[in-house]
């Protein structure tokens, strides 16, 4: 992607994501209409829809040739990453938004011909914007994030994943995952995939395992992590497609093979 165009897109996206966050903060105590989607735990609120509508309207008005791949219905029917595609989750961590009024994020990943060019994860209530442009590094607000620690030992790592990996599930033998939990120093679950990826990019957790997540949950965060030397693959180590739900591992390359070979491949169903 042409650098001038990319800078223009970055500036617009930054302005819109900050504005969307400001609106959410201003309405955080307003009464919410909460609905469920695929199951009783899959929540959506009017704020998810309003935020996506705001972003979609601006994207379509400013860049009519770009495609939008998003969660709440204002996007396009995206079947490939040809052209410029914005992958947007208006609120990642809706359950946190509803119950905690914090620990949720707006996530935007912008791809050109399948290459991640721009990533944003905005922790709305903390007013922390993680951002990245390909080959220009990742930032936490205005501070550039350092590269991930190169010499990681699995025993000393803290990994992000949720309880689904440790209960009976259709993706992985939970007993193998219990072995992984015993091996590592600690595990963390924050209720927002986008924030977990931003935390990997920041180096405050060393990796993140996701089960069956949608492209919009992870697209923005993957681009942040790329910029600090991390890698995201499926559970076999193959590249992610970002076109369908996938289970993925994001971490530094030094621990990736050990996690995949000694755990994920052993337990995969
Ligand atoms: C959810 C969050 C959560 C993950 C769920 C996602 P949503 O996204 O990322 O951390 O465990 O699977 O669906 O629904 O709040 O946008
Ligand atoms: Ca999400
Ligand atoms: Ca969402």
């Amino acid at each position: 992607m042409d650098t001038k165009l990319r800078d223009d897109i970055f500036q617009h996206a930054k302005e819109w994501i900050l504005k969307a966050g400001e609106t959410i903060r201003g309405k955080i105590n307003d009464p919410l209409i909460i609905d469920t989607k695929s199951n009783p735990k899959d929540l959506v609120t009017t704020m998810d829809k309003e935020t996506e509508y705001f972003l979609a309207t601006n994207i379509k008005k400013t860049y009519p040739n770009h495609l939008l791949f998003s969660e709440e219905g204002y996007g396009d029917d995206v079947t490939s990453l040809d052209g410029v595609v914005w992958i947007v989750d208006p609120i990642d961590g809706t359950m946190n938004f509803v119950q905690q009024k914090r620990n949720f994020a707006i996530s935007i990943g912008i791809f050109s011909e399948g290459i991640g060019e721009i990533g944003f994860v905005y922790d709305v209530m903390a007013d922390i914007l993680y951002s990245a442009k390909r080959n220009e590094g990742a930032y936490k607000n205005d501070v550039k994030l350092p590269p991930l620690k190169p010499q990681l030992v699995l025993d000393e790592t803290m990994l992000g994943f949720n309880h689904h990996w440790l209960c009976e599930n259709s993706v992985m033998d939970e007993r193998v995952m219990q072995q992984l939990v015993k091996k590592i120093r600690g595990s963390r679950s924050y209720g927002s995939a986008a924030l977990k990826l931003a935390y990997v990019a920041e180096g405050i957790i060393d990796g993140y395992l996701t089960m069956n997540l949608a492209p919009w949950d992870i697209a923005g965060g993957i681009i942040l992590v790329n910029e600090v030397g991390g890698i995201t693959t499926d559970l076999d180590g193959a590249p992610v497609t970002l076109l369908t739900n996938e289970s993925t591992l994001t971490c530094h390359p030094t621990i990736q093979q050990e996690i995949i070979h000694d755990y994920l491949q052993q337990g995969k169903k």
Side-chain angles (χ1 to χ4, degrees):
M1 178 184 270
D2 170 80
T3 316
K4 195 164 170 298
L5 173 64
R6 188 170 75 171
D7 287 347
D8 179 80
I9 296 172
F10 182 92
Q11 282 311 327
H12 277 118
K14 183 176 174 183
E15 187 189 312
W16 299 332
I17 204 169
L18 291 174
K19 180 74 195 150
E22 190 187 330
T23 304
I24 295 172
R25 283 194 299 274
K27 295 184 175 181
I28 196 72
N29 291 315
D30 287 3
L32 277 176
I33 300 172
I34 304 165
D35 257 322
T36 58
K37 294 194 286 187
S38 57
N39 65 65
K41 293 178 187 166
D42 186 7
L43 307 180
V44 61
T45 72
T46 39
M47 190 61 80
D48 297 67
K49 292 177 186 163
E50 283 171 24
T51 303
E52 185 171 309
Y53 180 76
F54 168 78
L55 294 169
T57 309
N58 280 293
I59 294 165
K60 289 291 173 186
K61 195 169 65 190
T62 313
Y63 302 109
N65 298 330
H66 293 186
L67 289 176
L68 172 61
F69 194 20
S70 56
E71 184 169 21
E72 307 302 349
Y74 297 105
D76 300 294
D77 185 12
V78 171
T79 54
S80 87
L81 294 185
D82 294 347
V84 179
V85 183
W86 296 55
I87 307 183
V88 171
D89 193 337
I91 295 184
D92 183 65
T94 298
M95 200 184 287
N96 287 351
F97 170 68
V98 169
Q99 294 211 193
Q100 305 183 328
K101 298 187 192 298
R102 60 183 155 144
N103 298 327
F104 60 89
I106 304 173
S107 174
I108 300 180
I110 303 170
F111 290 72
S112 174
E113 308 301 345
I115 296 171
E117 294 283 355
I118 296 169
F120 288 103
V121 172
Y122 187 31
D123 181 336
V124 172
M125 300 314 286
D127 191 20
I128 294 172
L129 180 65
Y130 295 90
S131 67
K133 290 182 209 164
R134 186 169 65 89
N135 292 337
E136 291 190 19
Y139 288 78
K140 179 184 180 186
N141 289 331
D142 294 328
V143 178
K144 190 167 187 178
L145 296 172
L148 296 183
K149 282 175 255 161
Q151 297 305 336
L152 280 179
V153 182
L154 195 54
D155 305 60
E156 295 172 5
T157 58
M158 192 150 81
L159 300 181
F161 52 86
N162 64 26
H163 66 279
H164 294 302
W165 292 91
L166 301 171
C167 304
E168 196 179 346
N169 67 81
S170 60
V171 175
M172 188 66 56
D173 182 339
E174 68 279 7
R175 291 165 302 183
V176 175
M177 294 309 291
Q178 289 158 10
Q179 293 308 312
L180 177 61
V181 172
K182 286 180 193 158
K183 172 89 173 159
I184 61 179
R185 182 176 280 163
S187 62
R188 292 292 181 273
S189 182
Y190 298 100
S192 159
L195 282 179
K196 265 182 265 191
L197 287 166
Y199 296 163
V200 174
E202 192 180 346
I204 60 172
I205 55 174
D206 301 301
Y208 174 38
L209 270 163
T210 75
M211 197 182 284
N212 202 22
L213 287 198
W216 41 79
D217 295 315
I218 54 178
I222 284 176
I223 296 170
L224 301 176
V225 173
N226 287 346
E227 284 305 305
V228 290
I231 184 168
T232 302
T233 63
D234 71 9
L235 303 186
D236 295 317
V240 290
T241 68
L242 290 174
L243 290 171
T244 179
N245 279 23
E246 288 168 284
S247 298
T248 62
L249 168 66
T250 300
C251 60
H252 191 282
T254 48
I255 53 171
Q256 184 217 21
Q257 283 311 315
E258 188 177 356
I259 296 174
I260 290 178
H261 182 264
D262 292 358
Y263 297 94
L264 304 183
Q265 289 194 338
Q266 307 304 322
K268 203 170 158 218
K269 289 183 174 167

